[in-house]
Amino acid sequence: MPDYDAVAGLLKKHGQEHILAGYDNLSADERDQLLTACENIDFDWLEARWAEAQAAGGSAASGEIEVVPVVELPRNDADQARYAEARAIGEEQLRAGTVAAFLVAGGQGTRLGFSGPKGCFPVGPLSGRTLFQWHAEQILARSRRYGAPIPFYIMTSRDNDDDTRRFFADNGFFGLPEGDVIFFQQEMVPCLDLHGKLMLATPSTLAMNPNGHGGALSGLLRSGALDDMRRRGIEYISYFQVDNPLVTICDPVFIGLHVLAGSDMSSKVLEKNAPDERIGVVCSQNGRPAVVEYIDLDEATQKALGADGRLKFWAGSIAIHIINTKFVEQVAGGVGLPWHQSRKKVAYFDGETIVKPKRENALKFETFVFDALPFAGKTLNMEVAREHEFAPVKNAEGVDSVATSRQLLTRYFAEWLTEAGITAASPEAIEISPLYSLDAGEFRNKVTPEGFVFERFLLLG
């Protein structure tokens, strides 16, 4: 058990002794829990974050932004030839087993009215396939296509780690070899109230939050996952987030373009549907590649037009990347990513009860994965069609909701049917498992349009 006097002295030294005010009312186990949590705080880190928060908006970089090159959607024979070359190189890497899939899946389904890990949410338009199943089946299908294992790394959180591991085990890892599915937990960091003080979440636990999706890089290093990748000969990481069932995982064209460019970290982008769409833009800031969040763009910059009449900063980042393992080691093992702070509503224990505040009462500190871009020697941005790659499930209703994601999946698969010569009038729902077909080309080669009757619903695989 940690020494009370030592921990109390540490807290007093840093002006945080209030945390032990209710210590005498705790059980022996609760006392041990609280003292251990306090003992593990990096107060130098915490005080640096508070100092940044007191300054002008924290540590995020600022400065004038400029447009950066983007490999746009193919429009002519030369573009198609470039894509064909990239695909061949990407497929070569997949056959060689140098590519891993990396899923950031620390979230809960609270905003969806769902109890449990967000990846367990049923998004399939007909089958109720969960987000985890969509992703796992795509990885399995691609592994089978190229005859090489694709290890699947999953970053969970303290809140959903046990449930996520159990869900995969209960579902037989969705056909993937158990040894090729590797879990690790995201790190947690303390919250501060608006006066710079630590907060209690319960009488014996500190209020803490996950360290942001940028914690994926430090988590790979800290957990030993990066060492595991080295042992397997992994050179490229296909990074994606759990809420997007349309993402093309381990996309051979994306991998090939990344390799051809000699890129350290590459990003998929799409054309923003409005100047104020709530996604960041890829750009150059202070002479270095960057993604600037939509909230950090003033209205004039958001609406600025280029010479072609298109938005000047049209290329929105959708959190899909290819990252070199050597680059992860460089960033995570070096100075690390900058920290961002934001005001949030954080429930806290006030000495008598748990209080759920009505307004922002605390600071949360996070890192963002795209903040690795300025450290890269070379980067690449690849445009994708929104309707082919972006159907996020973020909200219970409205924009980026369950309903819109299912609609987008249906429209995507309807395109496959059209390309295969199958006509369907106003389909209500279509769902095709990656285990049946990974893409429109494979689907076209599997079906015979003649005699294929389709009216309202279609479920394959």
Side-chain angles (χ1 to χ4, degrees):
M1 181 174 178
D3 180 77
Y4 172 86
D5 290 334
V7 174
L10 181 66
L11 290 168
K12 185 175 182 180
K13 176 183 176 182
H14 294 281
Q16 304 286 355
E17 60 269 27
H18 64 286
I19 286 296
L20 296 181
Y23 180 81
D24 292 340
N25 300 323
L26 303 177
S27 68
D29 287 344
E30 289 173 330
R31 290 178 179 183
D32 183 48
Q33 182 180 27
L34 181 57
L35 291 178
T36 299
C38 293
E39 188 178 52
N40 288 331
I41 294 172
D42 182 342
F43 283 99
D44 290 339
W45 174 90
L46 193 66
E47 290 170 354
R49 302 290 77 76
W50 175 245
E52 289 171 354
Q54 294 297 96
S59 63
S62 60
E64 186 175 351
I65 67 173
E66 300 292 341
V67 173
V68 290
V70 174
V71 178
E72 298 186 23
L73 292 169
R75 291 175 171 82
N76 52 46
D77 290 345
D79 292 342
Q80 294 291 355
R82 183 182 189 183
Y83 263 52
E85 180 186 10
R87 178 181 292 279
I89 291 172
E91 290 181 334
E92 181 182 346
Q93 295 299 327
L94 287 162
R95 290 190 187 95
T98 66
V99 184
F102 180 26
L103 172 62
V104 176
Q108 296 287 86
T110 309
R111 287 170 63 184
L112 303 173
F114 178 74
S115 177
K118 194 170 188 178
C120 297
F121 186 82
V123 73
L126 289 168
S127 71
R129 263 185 185 82
T130 63
L131 287 160
F132 280 143
Q133 185 173 355
W134 275 107
H135 300 320
E137 287 186 353
Q138 187 180 161
I139 292 166
L140 178 58
R142 204 167 299 280
S143 174
R144 288 173 174 172
R145 173 179 285 189
Y146 295 108
I150 298 177
F152 187 14
Y153 298 84
I154 303 172
M155 186 173 77
T156 64
S157 67
R158 182 182 64 181
D159 292 337
N160 75 7
D161 184 73
D162 288 344
D163 289 340
T164 299
R165 292 172 186 262
R166 188 180 307 112
F167 187 75
F168 270 81
D170 288 348
N171 287 278
F173 296 87
F174 302 103
L176 291 165
E178 181 177 351
D180 286 348
V181 183
I182 302 95
F183 303 92
F184 66 89
Q185 282 191 49
Q186 184 172 13
E187 296 172 83
M188 303 289 288
V189 294
C191 305
L192 292 176
D193 70 17
L194 301 183
H195 302 287
K197 300 298 184 181
L198 290 166
M199 306 164 66
L200 288 172
T202 70
S204 61
T205 61
L206 296 173
M208 303 184 78
N209 65 271
N211 65 348
H213 47 72
L217 303 188
S218 59
L220 284 171
L221 181 63
R222 173 191 53 79
S223 68
L226 201 57
D227 288 333
D228 185 72
M229 289 180 180
R230 284 197 213 94
R231 287 193 293 271
R232 295 171 184 261
I234 301 299
E235 298 179 34
Y236 308 106
I237 302 169
S238 178
Y239 169 102
F240 62 105
Q241 297 182 354
V242 73
D243 60 9
N244 183 11
L246 262 185
V247 58
T248 304
I249 304 165
C250 300
D251 179 353
V253 175
F254 191 27
I255 295 166
L257 289 171
H258 174 88
V259 173
L260 283 170
S263 176
D264 293 311
M265 180 174 178
S266 297
S267 308
K268 282 191 174 179
V269 302
L270 49 72
E271 183 165 8
K272 294 178 67 175
N273 60 21
D276 60 351
E277 184 177 6
R278 297 165 67 89
I279 55 177
V281 297
V282 296
C283 60
S284 172
Q285 187 174 47
N286 300 320
R288 302 297 304 163
V291 169
V292 174
E293 288 278 59
Y294 65 92
I295 58 174
D296 295 323
L297 296 174
D298 59 45
E299 184 176 358
T301 303
Q302 288 180 354
K303 294 183 175 180
L305 301 179
D308 57 359
R310 193 182 198 182
L311 286 176
K312 183 177 180 182
F313 295 102
W314 61 265
S317 174
I318 52 175
I320 303 172
H321 303 283
I322 299 293
I323 312 173
N324 293 350
T325 51
K326 289 182 180 179
F327 181 62
V328 173
E329 184 174 6
Q330 171 194 331
V331 174
V335 296
L337 301 178
W339 288 88
H340 299 256
Q341 53 88 11
S342 58
R343 293 192 176 204
K344 299 288 184 179
K345 296 176 186 177
V346 174
Y348 64 97
F349 179 69
D350 67 355
E352 295 182 1
T353 187
I354 305 296
V355 178
K356 294 185 177 180
K358 295 181 179 180
R359 57 175 57 93
E360 289 80 3
N361 67 316
L363 294 175
K364 286 187 175 182
F365 302 99
E366 298 177 299
T367 57
F368 300 150
V369 71
F370 53 69
D371 278 333
L373 289 166
F375 296 98
K378 291 185 178 180
T379 62
L380 173 129
N381 302 301
M382 172 186 172
E383 183 186 8
V384 295
R386 179 185 296 266
E387 63 273 18
H388 294 170
E389 196 101 14
F390 194 55
V393 183
K394 297 182 181 294
N395 307 306
E397 297 178 345
V399 178
D400 294 340
S401 66
V402 183
T404 60
S405 183
R406 289 171 177 162
Q407 288 168 1
L408 288 166
L409 285 166
T410 291
R411 290 175 191 168
Y412 179 58
F413 294 130
E415 286 188 22
W416 292 15
L417 270 67
T418 300
E419 288 186 32
I422 299 167
T423 303
S426 302
E428 293 187 27
I430 307 173
E431 182 177 339
I432 302 173
S433 165
L435 296 178
Y436 185 85
S437 293
L438 264 174
D439 50 45
E442 183 179 0
F443 179 77
R444 186 170 57 249
N445 291 332
K446 280 190 173 181
V447 298
T448 304
E450 293 77 13
F452 197 116
V453 178
F454 172 63
E455 295 181 357
R456 296 167 56 199
F457 302 99
L458 177 64
L459 173 63
L460 293 173

